[in-house]
Amino acid sequence: MEFFVIFMSALLVNNFVLSYFLGICPFVGVSNRLDSAFSMGMAVTFVMSLAAVVSWAIYNLVLVKYGLEFLEIVSFILVIASLVQLVEMFIRRMSPVLYQTLGIYLPLITTNCAILGVALLAVLKQYTFAETVVFSVGAGLGFTLAIVVMAGIREELDAADVPAPFRGAGITFITAGILALTFMGFSGLVR
Amino acid sequence: MKGEVSLGKEFTKGLWRENPVLVMLLGLCPTLAVTNSVKNALGMIGAVFFVLTCSSIMVSLIKKLVPPQVRIATYIVIIATFVTMADRFLAAYFPALSKALGPYVPLIVVNCIILGRQEAFASRHGVVASVADAVGMSLGFGIALMLLSSIREILGNGTWLGVPIVKGLFTPWQVMILPAGAFLALGVLVSMVRYFKNR
């Protein structure tokens, strides 16, 4: 039951994009086509769960043990950067087809604040190992949900007559605002 | 220093013409997340100013020593070091502010403004020009955050820096201090900036 609450909270109530504002850059940059938005979401979910698990291990098994908690930021960012590099090499070797769909997004993910955000939040909330896994998968799927819904809306927006200064970024943020309003409807789901 | 670099120009470009937030759309996570009150915004501006200026000095000093293949990794370690210092400092001297900003202080590490300035400017220019660039960009970031947080706090809470200023004029729009209000306010602000720039 507790896992379910953590999962739903990361997926809908505290959606990473629409309520924590993490991962806004890809959310704005890659949300103009539905299929690329979905690939980006999957790539982020994958790296996010991996990064959260590895950072959890580093923090709880190494840093806490030797009283080095202040190295949290430096070690997490290094772990994430090298992890993304490894995943990229692994996917290129194992599955060229998958590499073609996800490959171009992987380098972008290193500087995606959502990845570091998940690692930091899991430590901040003092989650156990299993809770961290559930939390990061929920957060990743929440990111995917937000970016896919956004891409769907933006494909329709192409046909709309938007006033010139609002075209591009302006209308995207306002759409995201309305989307965040609708996601507030989920807030009673978990307390 | 490369060619003729006008210090004044490097300084002022960040304020308006190349404003990192409103024109270049960089560093949006902290922009949206901490602008629910002017106080939080000021804390974030201070932290970014410190990290950006110190990293720019460091990077421009060691630019000849760093092999180009590992430059990004080097910059990230330098930035992460200063972010850790800022984070520890806030936690020690401003615990309430540190708590309110939560994970967004450590997240300055992945703020694209800071890495972007190292790669685009500090790694190619001298110390003085890099400081001018960093201070200008931080001020531009500050202007954007102050604008956004003022709009959100006044409309959403009826106060500015905690001081009530619209007593009885209108009922505060709660939504402006919620996440949805951040997106709406930024969308309108970015569009207005674009309108005035293209006029």
Side-chain angles (χ1 to χ4, degrees):
Chain A
M1 191 58 206
E2 204 173 308
F3 288 132
F4 182 71
V5 171
I6 292 176
F7 182 77
M8 287 317 261
S9 152
L11 179 70
L12 296 173
V13 183
N14 293 319
N15 186 284
F16 258 54
V17 179
L18 297 171
S19 103
Y20 282 159
F21 309 108
L22 297 170
I24 297 287
C25 304
F27 180 69
V28 173
V30 199
S31 65
N32 36 17
R33 298 244 340 261
L34 207 55
D35 48 348
S36 49
F38 186 73
S39 305
M40 182 69 183
M42 284 295 115
V44 166
T45 310
F46 179 63
V47 176
M48 196 181 253
S49 348
L50 221 63
V53 167
V54 176
S55 336
W56 184 91
I58 299 256
Y59 187 81
N60 287 287
L61 303 181
V62 181
L63 296 185
V64 170
K65 196 172 166 196
Y66 296 102
L68 294 170
E69 286 94 337
F70 65 92
L71 285 178
E72 184 189 8
I73 304 172
V74 181
S75 50
F76 281 13
I77 190 75
L78 287 179
V79 162
I80 290 168
S82 31
L83 198 68
V84 170
Q85 202 95 73
L86 274 178
V87 168
E88 196 189 347
M89 287 186 329
F90 183 76
I91 293 183
R92 189 169 2 179
R93 185 70 50 90
M94 295 323 250
S95 162
V97 184
L98 194 63
Y99 183 73
Q100 292 244 306
T101 22
L102 296 188
I104 46 167
Y105 302 111
L106 284 173
L108 288 174
I109 290 178
T110 315
T111 50
N112 183 341
C113 29
I115 309 287
L116 185 61
V118 129
L120 290 167
L121 279 169
V123 167
L124 203 71
K125 294 178 185 230
Q126 299 180 329
Y127 281 153
T128 63
F129 183 76
E131 284 170 341
T132 304
V133 174
V134 173
F135 175 65
S136 57
V137 172
L141 292 178
F143 175 84
T144 312
L145 178 68
I147 198 171
V148 165
V149 170
M150 189 68 188
I153 298 176
R154 279 182 80 176
E155 280 190 351
E156 298 293 316
L157 265 179
D158 285 346
D161 184 20
V162 180
F166 280 90
R167 265 181 218 147
I171 193 71
T172 308
F173 289 131
I174 291 174
T175 313
I178 297 169
L179 208 55
L181 270 181
T182 56
F183 266 67
M184 275 166 61
F186 290 117
S187 60
L189 211 60
V190 175
R191 36 187 92 253
Chain B
M1 215 177 285
K2 229 191 238 173
E4 296 293 305
V5 184
S6 152
L7 285 184
K9 223 175 182 174
E10 300 306 344
F11 176 70
T12 50
K13 70 168 188 278
L15 302 185
W16 173 249
R17 200 163 44 84
E18 290 181 27
N19 186 295
V21 179
L22 298 175
V23 178
M24 317 261 276
L25 300 179
L26 296 174
L28 293 174
C29 305
T31 306
L32 292 162
V34 304
T35 48
N36 50 359
S37 79
V38 176
K39 201 173 159 214
N40 289 352
L42 281 173
M44 178 53 82
I45 294 168
V48 166
F49 174 78
F50 169 77
V51 174
L52 182 51
T53 312
C54 294
S55 316
S56 284
I57 294 173
M58 198 70 152
V59 167
S60 67
L61 281 176
I62 62 162
K63 62 178 182 290
K64 293 219 171 68
L65 303 174
V66 182
Q69 299 87 341
V70 294
R71 66 182 195 288
I72 302 283
T74 317
Y75 303 159
I76 288 183
V77 174
I78 292 173
I79 295 169
T81 311
F82 287 116
V83 170
T84 307
M85 282 161 69
D87 185 40
R88 296 287 99 188
F89 177 82
L90 283 177
Y93 292 98
F94 302 96
L97 183 64
S98 169
K99 202 154 197 158
L101 292 176
Y104 295 104
V105 176
L107 280 172
I108 296 176
V109 174
V110 282
N111 187 327
C112 350
I113 298 174
I114 296 179
L115 190 61
R117 288 336 286 169
Q118 310 313 322
E119 171 72 0
F121 199 92
S123 57
R124 291 153 205 214
H125 295 82
V127 177
V128 184
S130 300
V131 170
D133 175 74
V135 173
M137 283 293 162
S138 319
L139 278 179
F141 178 76
I143 290 173
L145 255 70
M146 286 309 286
L147 268 176
L148 203 57
S149 60
S150 303
I151 295 174
R152 287 182 67 194
E153 198 182 322
I154 291 172
L155 290 181
N157 208 15
T159 58
W160 193 81
L161 204 56
V163 184
I165 53 166
V166 289
K167 279 171 225 140
L169 271 178
F170 59 86
T171 316
W173 312 346
Q174 273 287 306
V175 66
M176 289 309 283
I177 51 171
L178 295 173
F183 285 113
L184 296 175
L186 184 67
V188 174
L189 204 58
V190 164
S191 309
M192 273 167 62
V193 167
R194 188 170 297 178
Y195 175 77
F196 284 116
K197 269 183 80 104
N198 293 343
R199 215 168 44 160

